[in-house]
Amino acid sequence: MGFRFRNSYFAIAVAFLLGAVPQAVKSQTMEERLQRGDAVVRSLNNGAPQPTLERMRQEFPFLATATQGYALGDVWSRPGLDNRTRQLAAVAVFAAMGEAAFMKIHAGYALNIGVSEGELKEIIYMVTVPAGFPRAIKASQALSELFAERRAASAKQP
Amino acid sequence: MGFRFRNSYFAIAVAFLLGAVPQAVKSQTMEERLQRGDAVVRSLNNGAPQPTLERMRQEFPFLATATQGYALGDVWSRPGLDNRTRQLAAVAVFAAMGEAAFMKIHAGYALNIGVSEGELKEIIYMVTVPAGFPRAIKASQALSELFAERRAASAKQP
Amino acid sequence: MGFRFRNSYFAIAVAFLLGAVPQAVKSQTMEERLQRGDAVVRSLNNGAPQPTLERMRQEFPFLATATQGYALGDVWSRPGLDNRTRQLAAVAVFAAMGEAAFMKIHAGYALNIGVSEGELKEIIYMVTVPAGFPRAIKASQALSELFAERRAASAKQP
Amino acid sequence: MGFRFRNSYFAIAVAFLLGAVPQAVKSQTMEERLQRGDAVVRSLNNGAPQPTLERMRQEFPFLATATQGYALGDVWSRPGLDNRTRQLAAVAVFAAMGEAAFMKIHAGYALNIGVSEGELKEIIYMVTVPAGFPRAIKASQALSELFAERRAASAKQP
Amino acid sequence: MGFRFRNSYFAIAVAFLLGAVPQAVKSQTMEERLQRGDAVVRSLNNGAPQPTLERMRQEFPFLATATQGYALGDVWSRPGLDNRTRQLAAVAVFAAMGEAAFMKIHAGYALNIGVSEGELKEIIYMVTVPAGFPRAIKASQALSELFAERRAASAKQP
Amino acid sequence: MGFRFRNSYFAIAVAFLLGAVPQAVKSQTMEERLQRGDAVVRSLNNGAPQPTLERMRQEFPFLATATQGYALGDVWSRPGLDNRTRQLAAVAVFAAMGEAAFMKIHAGYALNIGVSEGELKEIIYMVTVPAGFPRAIKASQALSELFAERRAASAKQP
């Protein structure tokens, strides 16, 4: 039921198309991509693995691999955008989609890499314009939780 | 059918609540907000008014005033976020919502204030993760149009 | 990082554009808009402030001000639509967007201003057509909660 | 591959459940529902059939029958909500979902049954709050087209 | 406020339109459709009624009747698509819309009619492409709950 | 601006995590994934490349590579779901999201691998339940176009 090369014509066509992809990219292995994805998670998450991702490994291994290899290893590691901008844009998109739990995770990453609470608030204010007030208010509630958790955690430390 | 203060209790409660809003904000007039909104549009649009906004003035005056006074004058003029980050986040949200025409307008603003074509592409690549490939591909098609229009316009200039 | 008038040309252009906005609107202050927004909330909420809005004041002051000044003070206070129709249409939109918590708040407002439980049910039945059954069923569950809370509250009163 | 009653237990359970549905509803035939749906369309559309619906009859007969029998015959004909309110709420939902073509059809029905252009504008202004500015602006553009078409049509009449 | 035949012209037009609908469909009564809907639910739900549907009967009778008569009796009972494919496509749509609770119900039906856990996982993996990673991850969490509940239930049986 | 391994602790952690991924997957190169993606496209598209994908290669190379390597090479080539079911589920999701252009492309692929016009219609009928009538009607219009194009193309052949 899968797909297979049907004839040698395909092999030739593919070889041609692949000509546009640099050699360094073509020879990249999944192992390298997974390592890069892991490095991204740890850079964003204070050196720790991401619990949501780890929980998926046993039961949804392809989804875990795709999140780590594609979403984090391929996309989130790209050099053309600084990490602050990428995190703030991602927070805006998750808020606009009504995905408050994912927004909270990525807002936490943003704080970890030096984005201020004030900048996160500004991003949520901005979301009222393209996506309306309910999505911004829901996001503000998730941010309030995040800020409170951070304060509680830092209060515990000596 | 509108709303009116029902008794003096309200006036007192409002006075109390308003205590939290700084005096400078409270005395702001609509005229000041509209001027600020107009300044924002012109900063983003090479000094020109925004055609979509202008077309609404005759038939949808409140929507034009709200876009200029609230969306641009109140939100987009806030100082806590730099313009590049706000534009890139807005482009991401419009792309994720499938609103390619609005994305194109705001991507054009981004170019006007110094965002590179490469940064806009990176934002669209990022959108595949939270919102899927169709929304990113649609956005890439609108960006291609925008880039082509810009090149055609600059080719005409002496 | 904000926006400023770049030259006197802008001031003139703005003066021209503002010609289309009636003087009464232009001289409206934020204080007046906030008062109007507060009056709207209390008209809808049996004279009480709105808890979700109040919780935002400390940590998300701009979002609270925008909700009160723009959403309630500018939009919800407009005279061209009766309050029953606006509430029923808002309930339909929140249901269609899957925002059951906001739907419940606005359905409660609708009951407060004399909309019947039966009319709210009809609005939810209608939502199956544009937005499908899951959104309508989710909304019906939130309405059931609201109706039960109202009955419990009125049972407690002597 | 369809479903069938597996045993007589089902028939008894169904008979019990159906006890809650009034006899008048239970004996309603599809023919009656389609006639009611057709009457709704013509009431909204100045006595004419609806072109989008008619085009579906040949190639998508079930979708045409479901639109006429369920959406129009069952839902839109219900007596518990006046037609003006239902049309205005539907216009709000279509606008909020970004479905401008359907919004335009239902805004046209609204005009046909006596809703004013001003009321339609107010509904669109309201949509900025739950669903953001792009959806409201897109809807305003579709309304502008509708208003222009109506004026052009009435200018042709002697 | 409802709709009524305004004149005999309508009756004739309807008679004409109905010519396209087969006689067997036209004479179908609501009772027959409800029975078919009930049979569909029980086929999918191991012979038991559906709790969400049953809870709506008292307070939202039309929504319950529409779910049973239209969604299940008319749509879900159609013979042109096998039940496995319909359930897997429905699971994909609920996941893509972010409606995890409905996805879980329909994934449970899928298991009941012989779809494997592995096939449900593949459908969720596929959803990353059209709708992005958050919707797929949310769906995977709901599937994990479902799988755990099934294992717990079968562990209790002797 | 990118991410880098910060210390050897990471390398060890990654090595541990990667233990869960089979060796065959880990050593997969991008070149292999791109070839697999190309084979998938050609299997679905009668041996031809996909025009939308090809147009992206020049200006959005990462998006083209991600579509080919991840969406097609990783996801669409997975063996756990037959191609018919995957295409029908994808058609349902694109329809429910209102992405008629993508739905049309994938409905065309479905026809190419032997799905019947009737099955595609049934999928669209199903979409009325989770996502409402407008999305299903829009999808039916795109399907009508596709069916007409196929008939026109086959009429030209001798």
Side-chain angles (χ1 to χ4, degrees), chain C residues 122-140:
Chain C
E122 292 296 330
I123 278 288
I124 295 313
Y125 296 160
M126 185 274 277
V127 164
T128 56
V129 175
F133 283 74
R135 298 283 158 92
I137 291 172
K138 242 166 81 166
S140 79

Side-chain angles (χ1 to χ4, degrees), chain A residues 98 117 121 124-125 128 131 133-138 140-141 143-144 147 151, chain C residues 52 55-56 58-64 66-67 70-71 94 97-99 102:
Chain A
E117 291 195 2
K121 290 179 188 180
I124 296 311
Y125 296 161
T128 58
F133 282 74
R135 299 282 159 91
I137 292 173
K138 243 166 80 167
S140 78
Q141 294 164 343
L143 274 190
S144 283
F147 295 165
R151 268 174 232 121
Chain C
T52 302
R55 270 194 298 274
M56 292 192 294
Q58 195 63 37
E59 205 155 33
F60 294 88
F62 176 80
L63 189 54
T67 303
Y70 174 68
F94 289 124
M97 292 175 70
E99 295 292 346
F102 290 92

Side-chain angles (χ1 to χ4, degrees), chain B residues 121 125 128 133-138 140-141 143-144 147 151, chain F residues 52 56 59-63 66-67 70-71 94 97 99 102:
Chain B
K121 290 179 188 180
Y125 296 160
T128 57
F133 282 74
R135 298 283 158 92
I137 292 172
K138 242 166 82 166
S140 77
Q141 293 163 344
L143 274 190
S144 282
F147 295 166
R151 267 174 234 124
Chain F
T52 302
M56 293 192 294
E59 205 155 34
F60 294 89
F62 176 80
L63 190 54
T67 303
Y70 175 69
F94 288 123
M97 293 174 72
E99 296 292 345
F102 290 92

Side-chain angles (χ1 to χ4, degrees), chain F residues 10 15 21 41 62 64 86-87 95 117-118 121 123 137 144-145 148:
Chain F
F10 279 166
V21 180
V41 166
F62 176 80
R86 185 180 283 112
Q87 279 315 114
E117 292 195 1
K121 291 179 188 180
I123 277 289
I137 292 172
S144 282
E145 284 172 30

Side-chain angles (χ1 to χ4, degrees), chain C residues 25-56:
Chain C
V25 170
K26 284 193 290 188
S27 62
Q28 234 174 51
T29 63
M30 176 59 91
E31 185 156 7
E32 291 167 315
R33 296 167 65 228
L34 289 171
Q35 286 180 338
R36 214 165 47 219
D38 187 74
V40 169
V41 165
R42 290 172 192 276
S43 297
L44 294 171
N45 203 30
N46 289 333
Q50 210 289 317
T52 302
L53 174 56
E54 297 311 312
R55 270 194 298 274
M56 292 192 294

Side-chain angles (χ1 to χ4, degrees), chain F:
Chain F
M1 254 164 259
F3 294 91
R4 251 154 243 97
F5 282 92
R6 290 201 304 212
N7 56 40
S8 62
Y9 165 70
F10 279 166
I12 295 163
V14 169
F16 180 77
L17 290 170
L18 288 172
V21 180
Q23 187 57 41
V25 171
K26 283 194 290 187
S27 60
Q28 233 173 50
T29 63
M30 174 60 89
E31 185 157 4
E32 291 167 314
R33 296 168 64 228
L34 289 171
Q35 287 180 337
R36 214 165 47 219
D38 187 74
V40 169
V41 166
R42 290 171 191 275
S43 296
L44 293 170
N45 204 30
N46 290 333
Q50 211 289 319
T52 302
L53 173 57
E54 296 312 313
R55 270 193 298 273
M56 293 192 294
R57 287 197 197 281
Q58 191 65 34
E59 205 155 34
F60 294 89
F62 176 80
L63 190 54
T65 301
T67 303
Q68 186 174 341
Y70 175 69
L72 299 162
D74 288 352
V75 179
W76 242 254
S77 74
R78 288 182 62 79
L81 206 65
D82 65 282
N83 295 332
R84 289 168 52 87
T85 304
R86 185 180 283 112
Q87 279 315 114
L88 286 166
V91 163
V93 170
F94 288 123
M97 293 174 72
E99 296 292 345
F102 290 92
M103 192 220 69
K104 195 176 161 184
I105 291 171
H106 280 267
Y109 292 163
L111 293 175
N112 293 343
I113 61 171
V115 171
S116 70
E117 292 195 1
E119 287 169 309
L120 288 169
K121 291 179 188 180
E122 292 297 328
I123 277 289
I124 295 312
Y125 296 159
M126 185 274 275
V127 165
T128 58
V129 174
F133 283 74
R135 299 282 159 92
I137 292 172
K138 243 167 80 168
S140 78
Q141 293 163 345
L143 274 191
S144 282
E145 284 172 30
L146 174 68
F147 296 164
E149 288 161 18
R150 295 288 169 119
R151 268 175 232 121
S154 70
K156 275 189 202 154
Q157 293 180 330

